[in-house]
Amino acid sequence: LGTVIQKSLQKLYQYQRPEGGWGYFPESTESYVSLTAYTVFGLDQIKKAGFHVDAGVINRAVAYLKDYMANNRDLIDRYTGKLHKKDAEYANNRAYMLFVLSEIGNGDVGLTNSLYEDKKLLGNAGKAYMIMTLNSLASSSADKIKALVGDLENQARIDARGSYIRNDISGGMSMMTHTKVTALAVQALTRVDVGHPLLPKLIKWLIGVRKDGRWDTTQDNVTSLIALTEYLAKTKELTA
C-alpha cells in the first residue's frame, strides 16, 4: 500500500500546474478550483494517515485557492471576462473550498463570515460544509451554526430506511447525491452536536441504502466512511 501511495503522490506532484492548481487531465491548460480543493483534501488525508506529503505542493495549492477567492475570480465569466452575480454555484463551491482550508488549519474567518451573509444561496451540502468550517474557527459563532443546523433539520426527509437530507444541487461537477449530502450532515452534526436526535436516523438511512456492502458512487463511499468513522470515534464506539 505504501508503494502505491508514494507512486500516486509523485503523479499528483507532477501534474500540479505552475499556478498551484490541478486540471482534470495531465495535459489540461488550466486549473479547476473544485478539483484542486479536493486534491488538497486528499493530500491532507494521506498526511494524517502517517505518510509523508510534500508541504510545498500543499502550500502552492492553498495559495492558489486563497488568491482565487480573494480576487473574486469565481465571479468572472471565463468566456466574456465580465463580472456576474453571486449564484448557487459560486456559494457552494466557496463553501467547499473554505471547508478544505479549515480542515488543514488554513481557515479564513473573513471569507467564511462573508459567505455566511450569502447563505440563502447555499445548498444543503454547502450548509453542512459551512457548519464544519465555522465550528473549526476560533471566532465561530454559535448562533450561525445553530441557524445552519436548523436549515438542515428542515430539509430532512423520511422514508422506510430512516431520514436523509436531500441533494438540492443539480448538474455541474459537484458529484452530489442524497447519500453524500446525508453523510455530510452526519459529519457536521457529529462535530457540533453528537447527541442530536436526527443523527441516529440519518445513520440508519445511510446504512440502509448500501448495496452489496457499499454505496452507489466513489464519492458516496468516501464521504460516508469518513462521516461514520468520525461518529464512531466521537461516541467512543470504536473502543467499546
Side-chain angles (χ1 to χ4, degrees), residues 9-205:
L9 284 172
Q10 291 305 316
K11 285 186 177 180
L12 284 175
Y13 299 161
Q14 179 184 350
Y15 296 156
Q16 187 176 33
R17 290 184 44 75
E19 64 270 21
W22 281 270
Y24 283 97
F25 306 99
E27 63 273 16
S28 293
T29 58
E30 61 181 314
S31 296
Y32 291 83
V33 286
S34 294
L35 179 63
T36 298
Y38 188 64
T39 303
V40 170
F41 179 78
L43 291 173
D44 185 59
Q45 293 296 306
I46 294 171
K47 181 179 177 181
K48 288 175 178 176
F51 295 93
H52 174 73
V53 176
D54 189 328
V57 171
I58 293 180
N59 291 339
R60 287 191 293 275
V62 167
Y64 165 73
L65 293 173
K66 287 189 172 182
D67 177 76
Y68 187 93
M69 289 187 284
N71 289 288
N72 290 318
R73 288 165 58 192
D74 40 3
L75 293 177
I76 301 174
D77 188 286
R78 64 168 52 189
Y79 300 108
T80 66
K82 297 180 179 179
L83 288 173
H84 60 77
K85 292 182 179 180
K86 296 177 181 178
D87 55 18
E89 181 178 3
Y90 156 88
N92 289 297
N93 283 342
R94 282 221 167 190
Y96 181 61
M97 287 187 278
L98 290 168
F99 164 72
V100 170
L101 292 178
S102 70
E103 288 291 281
I104 65 173
N106 276 277
D108 191 301
V109 175
L111 289 175
T112 301
N113 286 334
S114 177
L115 182 59
Y116 181 82
E117 298 305 314
D118 295 313
K119 73 184 185 75
K120 63 181 182 297
L121 297 174
L122 291 169
N124 292 329
K127 290 174 181 176
Y129 285 132
M130 280 292 288
I131 289 170
M132 292 186 280
T133 301
L134 286 166
N135 187 60
S136 73
L137 298 175
S139 60
S140 62
S141 167
D143 290 340
K144 292 176 181 177
I145 292 173
K146 183 178 180 180
L148 291 168
V149 168
D151 288 344
L152 288 185
E153 291 171 344
N154 292 333
Q155 290 295 315
R157 300 292 185 268
I158 301 173
D159 65 19
R161 297 163 295 192
S163 296
Y164 67 96
I165 307 296
R166 67 186 184 90
N167 170 40
D168 54 356
I169 302 174
S170 60
M173 301 299 294
S174 66
M175 295 178 280
M176 286 296 169
T177 63
H178 294 330
T179 299
K180 184 175 179 180
V181 176
T182 300
L184 289 172
V186 168
Q187 188 179 14
L189 290 176
T190 295
R191 292 188 181 189
V192 301
D193 184 6
V194 73
H196 195 289
L198 185 58
L199 254 178
K201 300 174 184 177
L202 296 177
I203 291 173
K204 178 184 177 183
W205 188 89

